[in-house]
Each structure stands twice: as C-alpha cells, then as structure tokens.
Amino acid sequence: MTTLAAPRPHPLLWPLMAAALVLGWSSGFVGIRYASQDAGVALLLFWRTLLSGLILLPFALLIGPRLRWRGVRDQALFGVASVFLYLGGFALAIGQRVPTGLVALIADLLPLAMVVLAQPVLGERLRPRQWLGTGIAVAGVLIVTADSLSVGSAPLWAYALTVGSMAVFAAASVVFRARRTDPMPVHQALCIHTLTGAVLFGLCAATQGSLMPPLTRTFGIGMVWLIGLGTFLAYGVYYGALRVWPVARVSAAIYLCPPVTMVWAWALFSEPLTWAMAVGVAVTLVGVWLCVRD
C-alpha cells in the first residue's frame, strides 16, 4: 500500500509568512513605544492583555480539551514570567526610553538563553560551537548597548531590566519544559497567559491611578496595533509556520526583527540609528546562527 506524500508548500508561501512574522513580532516593540506616549506602561499593558484575553476566551472555552485546574494553574504561573515579567520588563524599559531596537535585540535572544540554560537544568550539553556563538552574540549586544548608552538618556537600571526580564522568561521556559506538564493548545494557553497578565498589570495600574484608558487617537491606534499585529498576527503566524517548516528556519526569521525594529523606531520616533548599532546587530546575528543552527 502506497502513502501519498504531503503536498509541498508554494515557493512564495515562506517569504510571505516570514515577512508577516517579522512585521508582527517587531510591531510589538514599536507599538508599545507608540502607545506609551499617552498612557503609563502598566495601564497600557493592562488593556492590551485584557482585551487579548477576552477575545480568546470564548475560543479557549469552546474549542479544544476541557480546561482543568492543574493545567490552568501551570499556565497561569508560566504567564507570570512570559507576560508580566518578560513583556512588562521590556515595555517598562521602552517607556524609560531605552532604544526600542536594543530592547528588541535583547528580548529576541530568548532562544539563545534557553539553549545555555538547558545545560544546568536539563543536562543538555552545549557543543563548542554553541559556546562560541553565545560569546559572539553577547559581544554584539555589548556593542549595541555601549553605543546606545553614549547617545541615549535612559537610566542604567532600565537597560539591566531588559536583560533580567529576558533571563527570567528563559529560565521559566526551561523549568516549565523540565516539568513535562500536559500540553495545551496555543489559543488556550495564550488566553490564560494574557488574562493572568491583565490581573497583575491591573493591580499595578490601579496603584498609579484610574484604570480608565485615555480616549485618544494615539492610544486607540496603539491598542489595535498591539493586539492585531503584536499578539494575534505574531503568534498566529509563528505557530502556523512551525507546522510546516523546521524550528531553525522559523527562528531565523525572528532574528531579523531587531534591525527592522531599529529602522521603524528611527523613522517613527527619530531614535538614534548608528553604524555601531548596525555592526553590533550583525555580530549578534552571526553568534545566534552559530548557536541555534542544526
């Protein structure tokens, strides 16, 4: 009995999906920079996560396996790291005017950090090439950071916050993987993550004043941008691409986001864009490629 081979995707499908992925992923950073002009970071993220979670809630309840307490609890704990600490950390850094492209560069080193942390937590040994790639990538980030410090006005703690939030998310991801919890469909997990974030961001925003959103055009456009592009387009295309192409190829597209984010921030907000930043990004991309390629 012969089996039919799976149809090969159209040659133009990958370039189109890669472009959509880069657009959606980078828009999350740029959208926060845009919308934070009219609202504090906590209030902005409260409404972003609340609306995203409420849109997903009917699908999470009606489509997929029945939600059980243990799964909801585990995903909520992971949501604290993946949304509240990770998203909140780099959003606060952007709000303190750390260059948006640098924040994207550090945040997108998450897969590399997970590779490094997998050794002590999961016992997965790193090859010499992966250690070399890690060192090169870190050197690239230091080049961009040094140049950003010379032209920027953000406090030093805001730069450290970006690195710390990325490291916390990477550690949580590796620990979550080590626990071997029951898998959950993406739309259900993302719903729990965002609603968990909404509760925590709401508490933070409430201590700073009202939870009412500013009724401005900038904030409204920012919400549509962040929810439509930064949440649903980015995650939808990412997980859809993983069903067709290898992880290495999909991850490679995400590593194109920092330079795209830098260009967006330069064009929209007149953030600095220097040759040193370009060199640092290129060095980082080489290091990441060495570390994550098969």
Side-chain angles (χ1 to χ4, degrees):
M1 179 178 179
T2 59
T3 57
L4 296 176
R8 299 183 63 181
H10 192 280
L12 292 179
L13 183 60
W14 169 245
L16 290 175
M17 291 196 73
L21 180 59
V22 172
L23 172 66
W25 212 267
S26 60
S27 67
F29 303 98
V30 180
I32 287 175
R33 175 68 173 82
Y34 180 80
S36 64
Q37 298 176 91
D38 285 356
V41 170
L43 183 63
L44 165 65
L45 293 180
F46 166 68
W47 282 103
R48 175 189 177 176
T49 52
L50 178 63
L51 293 176
S52 299
L54 291 178
I55 291 172
L56 286 169
L57 186 58
F59 302 97
L61 294 175
L62 300 175
I63 302 175
R66 181 180 178 183
L67 294 174
R68 300 185 181 277
W69 164 245
R70 179 179 177 181
V72 172
R73 179 202 61 194
D74 290 344
Q75 293 295 338
L77 289 174
F78 187 66
V80 173
S82 64
V83 175
F84 182 65
L85 297 178
Y86 177 65
L87 178 61
F90 75 66
L92 184 57
I94 291 174
Q96 292 293 319
R97 295 302 181 259
V98 174
T100 310
L102 174 60
V103 175
L105 179 62
I106 295 174
D108 288 341
L109 289 179
L110 178 65
L112 184 148
M114 290 174 62
V115 169
V116 174
L117 290 173
Q119 181 179 21
V121 178
L122 301 177
E124 299 178 1
R125 296 187 61 184
L126 268 66
R127 304 170 187 170
R129 170 175 50 78
Q130 291 177 310
W131 283 117
L132 175 62
T134 300
I136 293 174
V138 171
V141 172
L142 291 176
I143 293 173
V144 179
T145 304
D147 194 65
S148 299
L149 286 171
S150 66
V151 298
S153 57
L156 288 176
W157 65 262
Y159 290 88
L161 180 64
T162 307
V163 178
S165 61
M166 184 273 294
V168 167
F169 186 18
S173 300
V174 174
V175 171
F176 192 74
R177 177 182 167 190
R179 293 184 61 190
R180 302 185 185 279
T181 55
D182 295 334
M184 181 179 290
V186 174
H187 67 285
Q188 291 183 326
L190 187 57
C191 177
I192 297 170
H193 296 170
T194 51
L195 291 180
T196 301
V199 172
L200 297 174
F201 287 129
L203 291 174
C204 294
T207 64
Q208 301 171 2
S210 172
L211 292 180
M212 286 295 297
L215 302 179
T216 63
R217 182 170 177 266
T218 299
F219 188 81
I221 293 175
M223 280 295 104
V224 174
W225 190 337
L226 286 169
I227 295 171
L229 297 180
T231 301
F232 295 132
L233 178 66
Y235 284 97
V237 173
Y238 177 70
Y239 289 109
L242 287 177
R243 294 178 179 269
V244 183
W245 292 284
V247 174
R249 177 183 288 197
V250 179
S251 298
I254 293 179
Y255 298 135
L256 296 175
C257 293
V260 172
T261 304
M262 287 183 177
V263 173
W264 277 42
W266 168 75
L268 294 175
F269 313 119
S270 300
E271 290 193 4
L273 185 63
T274 66
W275 281 110
M277 290 181 180
V279 170
V281 169
V283 171
T284 301
L285 292 177
V286 170
V288 169
W289 176 77
L290 285 172
C291 190
V292 302
R293 74 182 178 91
D294 295 331

